[in-house]
Amino acid sequence: MNTSFIVQAAGALFSALLLANPIPVMANVVIGGTRVVYPAKEREITLKLDNAGNEAALVQAWVDRGDPESRADQADAPFLLMPPVARIGAQRSQTLRMTYTHDPLPQDVESVFWLNVLDVPPLPKNADSNFVQLAYRSRIKVFFRPEGLKGFAEDTPAAVTWSLVPDGKGFALRGKNPTAFSASYNKTELIVGNQTYTSKGGMIVPHGTYAFPLQGLQSLPSGGATVRYEWLNDYGAAKSVETRLAR
């Protein structure tokens, strides 16, 4: 899940100090899940938002097409959310309904969007002009899944083939996805003998490729190598798998 902070400040000096020394915060409102799968046949699906905090929170939700800088007033994804804005009481929950607007989307592959939930805590009663308010935004993937796709989503990671490609700084592990489903990874690794080269996670879209830069790998291995990856299923559970690197 990707997250970002939106900082609203009324004191320039205090804001500069805050940005120089970030204050760790956690959202009180959390989404009931780490990803959303929307089957095309469904009229709507529901999500649960829980406010674990001790104060009420104002929540705004929208869906974007992959721009992490998107705002609610710029949302152009083909989904309606009800309610788009809600007040959730302390220790209470809110059901969020998502409806596909039937704007044209590819019917032979999954489409990927992002659900945004912005958690805005209430202003303290004694807040003055120098008060800095932090709003916490959570983003999770939305997989729109047409009917009749060939194969099964859980078989996608095993169908991906892996190779090494130069990336300007060394080498990257490139995954090629021949299926109609997306493959999401927490991390990928290349094991050469007793040496392990790691990379961050990412997603390979249907019929697409994605290069995972490997830290420290400056030359092609002379012998065999093993790819180890941790992928996420429809429920957000991580599974670790090892396979051979294609030559």
Side-chain angles (χ1 to χ4, degrees):
M1 176 171 61
N2 293 346
T3 55
S4 60
F5 299 109
I6 297 175
V7 182
Q8 299 173 335
L13 177 60
F14 191 77
S15 298
L17 291 173
L18 175 68
L19 294 175
N21 300 280
I23 300 174
V25 300
M26 290 296 291
N28 286 325
V29 176
V30 295
I31 308 171
T34 60
R35 63 229 302 104
V36 177
V37 177
Y38 194 120
K41 64 181 180 180
E42 299 295 334
R43 180 177 176 273
E44 70 175 25
I45 62 172
T46 59
L47 307 167
K48 187 180 179 184
L49 305 180
D50 294 305
N51 182 4
N54 295 319
E55 295 182 319
L58 182 66
V59 170
Q60 185 175 34
W62 68 96
V63 181
D64 68 62
R65 294 179 179 267
D67 179 8
E69 303 301 324
S70 72
R71 302 194 307 266
D73 60 347
Q74 301 171 327
D76 61 352
F79 297 95
L80 294 177
L81 294 177
M82 292 298 294
V85 178
R87 180 184 182 276
I88 306 178
Q91 305 296 320
R92 302 298 295 271
S93 300
Q94 171 70 48
T95 297
L96 191 63
R97 303 199 320 271
M98 179 184 295
T99 304
Y100 171 46
T101 63
H102 293 282
D103 288 6
L105 288 175
Q107 295 301 301
D108 58 343
V109 294
E110 272 187 341
S111 296
V112 184
F113 302 90
W114 289 81
L115 169 67
N116 300 264
V117 174
L118 184 67
D119 173 7
V120 184
L123 284 171
K125 294 180 180 179
N126 59 349
D128 57 24
S129 60
N130 290 321
F131 179 77
V132 175
Q133 184 182 30
L134 298 178
Y136 190 98
R137 181 177 61 151
S138 300
R139 298 181 80 230
I140 65 172
K141 295 172 185 173
V142 177
F143 299 96
F144 179 78
R145 189 167 293 169
E147 292 187 78
L149 293 183
K150 184 178 179 180
F152 300 94
E154 59 266 29
D155 296 331
T156 296
V160 171
T161 56
W162 299 92
S163 60
L164 287 175
V165 293
D167 68 350
K169 296 181 180 179
F171 287 87
L173 193 59
R174 183 178 66 182
K176 183 177 181 180
N177 179 6
T179 77
F181 302 89
S182 299
S184 297
Y185 300 88
N186 267 345
K187 64 178 180 179
T188 57
E189 298 175 325
L190 182 70
I191 304 171
V192 183
N194 295 324
Q195 185 70 42
T196 299
Y197 303 93
T198 62
S199 179
K200 296 180 180 179
M203 179 179 67
I204 313 176
V205 298
H207 303 305
T209 62
Y210 187 89
F212 301 81
L214 293 166
Q215 299 177 14
L217 183 62
Q218 298 298 316
S219 61
L220 290 172
S222 57
T226 299
V227 177
R228 181 165 58 203
Y229 57 82
E230 190 175 89
W231 66 279
L232 301 171
N233 65 16
D234 280 352
Y235 306 99
K239 297 186 176 183
S240 183
V241 178
E242 290 189 5
T243 187
R244 299 298 295 177
L245 177 71
R247 302 301 297 175

